[in-house]
Structure formats: C-alpha cells, structure tokens
Amino acid sequence: MIYEMLYNIADNAIRYTDQNGTVNIFTGTVNGHAFYRVEDNGIGIPENEQKRIFERFYRVDKSHSRATGGTGLGLSIVKHGAILHNAEIKLKSEPGKGTKMELVF
C-alpha cells in the first residue's frame, strides 16, 4: 500500500507537468515523523477542485487525463492508504505554478 501511495503521487506530478518541467521528490523526518513530498511546476489544481481530487474517478482536467491515461483512482488510493497508516496528506497547489503534495506518517 505504501508503494502505491508514493508511486501515485509521483506519477501524477509527472503526468501533469510539461516535458521541460521539473518534479522533485523529498524524504526525511520532521518532528520525529517520516515524510514524503513531491513538488512540481506543472499545471496546478484550482482551489475549488482541491477537496475533490481524492474522490474515486475524479479528474480535474478531463481532456488531459484521457490523453495521458489513468483511471482517476490514484489519489483515492493515496487517501485510503493515508487513513490506513495514520498519515496526513498536505496539499498546496496553484494553477499554472504547480503542486506540492506531502505525506506525513
């Protein structure tokens, strides 16, 4: 489950970042808790969509999602894995500037 969580966050960052964009992955500990953070300078997520991205089959940009494949289940898997492992998901995103998603265990 943890592999699927980490993979899905990184995969989304890669899918929604232009070919010449950047995706950075950070790991470590903060206040004794392990964290995994993925930051990109991709398309970003509008604020009014951010609460819904963890729903099954939900896609922010439906046309882009079809072009890159995917089922719309990736972030739902992350959400349920976080619940199972008592992890917190932190999200910061701005359209046109990118997304930062972090899991803190």
Side-chain angles (χ1 to χ4, degrees):
M1 176 63 69
I2 290 179
Y3 168 81
E4 291 294 324
M5 294 166 65
L6 306 182
Y7 175 87
N8 282 312
I9 293 173
D11 185 56
N12 273 2
I14 292 166
R15 285 177 190 261
Y16 295 100
T17 299
D18 293 333
Q19 185 176 1
N20 295 321
T22 59
V23 174
N24 294 299
I25 298 175
F26 303 91
T27 61
T29 58
V30 61
N31 298 325
H33 297 279
F35 74 86
Y36 173 83
R37 183 173 66 244
V38 177
E39 298 179 7
D40 66 62
N41 63 350
I43 64 172
I45 305 163
E47 188 174 347
N48 64 327
E49 306 259 3
Q50 291 180 15
K51 290 183 181 181
R52 298 199 61 203
I53 65 169
F54 297 99
E55 295 175 12
R56 288 185 296 166
F57 306 114
Y58 188 78
R59 296 176 177 189
V60 173
D61 181 352
K62 282 109 178 123
S63 63
H64 187 77
S65 296
R66 277 193 297 275
T68 60
T71 61
L73 289 172
L75 293 179
S76 176
I77 291 169
V78 172
K79 173 187 158 188
H80 291 288
I83 291 168
L84 181 67
H85 292 287
N86 296 316
E88 177 184 4
I89 303 171
K90 297 180 180 183
L91 172 67
K92 183 177 181 183
S93 186
E94 188 174 336
K97 294 194 176 183
T99 300
K100 180 191 313 183
M101 190 171 298
E102 181 175 56
L103 291 170
V104 180
F105 294 90

